[in-house]
Amino acid sequence: MSRRSCVERLVSDELWALVEPLLPKQRKPKRGRTGRPRVPDRAALAGIVFVLRTGISWNALPPELGCGSGVTCWRRLRQWQQAGVWQELHRVVLDRLAQRDLLDWSRAAVDSVSVRAKRRGELTGPSPTDRGKVGSKYHVLCDRGGLPLHALVTGANAHDSRMLAPLLDTNPGVRERAGRPGRPRRRPDKLHADKGYDYPRCRRYLTKRGIGVRIARRGIEDSTRLGRVRWVVERTMSWLLDFRRLALRYDRAESTITALLSLACALICHRRLTKPKPKPK
């Protein structure tokens, strides 16, 4: 397999067309080119996607891929995170989905999943479900079809109910109509959550924001009944953990794990964007 075809398989033309305008412009050297030639941005992005999907270490990135060294890809990931590329990419893909009527705000779901952090680091804590071992937790908000709208990273000891308001408040929103004025949509009509969110402060917060409350009551409602609706967010969690670099955390820095989570959400949404729309029967 040629280097070019490998990069194109990891980063399709459609994906690159969305990413390229978001990348910061490179300054031209004052005295001409010096040192080694710069690794192309598309090749570096392909290396980042390869590490995210396979879970290998940055130093183990195969040179045969033509993506440069793992350190180069890691540096490019951090630089683009500082420039806000990954969050903006996720928002752009969501905007495209909304414009094609592929997002459903009538019902949303929220949940979290804990993963082990092998090297500790920022945004980690003792996991109450894993014998106190150090880990992180991904909090995800998804639409009715399971597409991730927003995601945050915390320590594994962060309670789900405490992250409901931050997750919705920091949601960047989606512009449903291109080129038209108006505020981005940030609130679903209804929000479904399990018993971990059954607290008065969560219900008051949702009611205050005009969001329909669908939270299972502890000791009253059967969790299996709620699962008929919330299975989509469980599937979303499995999609995220299919990216092996997220399923077992090795990156210590907050900026790195946050960038990888945003990129994974963007890739999941982009798959839906490129999937052909089913024909009506």
Side-chain angles (χ1 to χ4, degrees), residues 122-141:
E122 299 173 335
L123 297 181
T124 60
S127 175
T129 60
D130 193 17
R131 297 171 293 176
K133 294 186 177 180
V134 178
S136 296
K137 184 179 286 188
Y138 307 138
H139 305 264
V140 180
L141 171 70

Side-chain angles (χ1 to χ4, degrees), residues 106-232:
S106 63
R107 186 169 67 200
V110 62
D111 204 353
S112 67
V113 62
S114 297
V115 297
R116 189 173 298 181
K118 299 293 290 185
R119 300 178 59 192
R120 298 178 179 268
E122 299 173 335
L123 297 181
T124 60
S127 175
T129 60
D130 193 17
R131 297 171 293 176
K133 294 186 177 180
V134 178
S136 296
K137 184 179 286 188
Y138 307 138
H139 305 264
V140 180
L141 171 70
C142 70
D143 78 333
R144 184 169 186 167
L147 293 174
L149 300 173
H150 191 41
L152 294 176
V153 185
T154 64
N157 57 336
H159 199 278
D160 291 351
S161 64
R162 294 292 182 182
M163 293 306 299
L164 178 62
L167 188 63
L168 289 170
D169 289 341
T170 59
N171 182 18
V174 178
R175 296 191 179 275
E176 299 180 333
R177 297 181 180 180
R180 297 189 180 183
R183 295 181 178 179
R185 178 163 185 174
R186 295 181 172 87
R187 296 178 298 175
D189 296 334
K190 295 184 295 184
L191 184 70
H192 291 257
D194 61 18
K195 299 177 183 179
Y197 300 86
D198 184 23
Y199 290 88
R201 62 175 179 274
C202 295
R203 297 180 180 275
R204 287 195 300 266
Y205 169 79
L206 294 175
T207 302
K208 184 177 179 180
R209 294 203 60 181
I211 302 174
V213 182
R214 299 293 186 271
I215 300 177
R217 299 181 182 273
R218 289 173 291 179
I220 299 177
E221 297 184 55
D222 188 4
S223 59
T224 57
R225 181 179 179 182
L226 184 67
R228 300 175 185 175
V229 177
R230 289 188 59 263
W231 66 270
V232 293

Side-chain angles (χ1 to χ4, degrees), residues 16 26 31 41 43 46 51 71 75 87 104 112 116 125 140 146 162 168 171 178 199 201 248 268 271:
W16 179 241
Q26 296 299 318
R31 300 181 180 179
D41 288 337
V51 171
V71 175
R75 288 175 179 170
Q87 293 80 1
D104 191 344
S112 67
R116 189 173 298 181
V140 180
R162 294 292 182 182
L168 289 170
N171 182 18
Y199 290 88
R201 62 175 179 274
L248 186 60
I268 292 172
R271 286 202 301 252

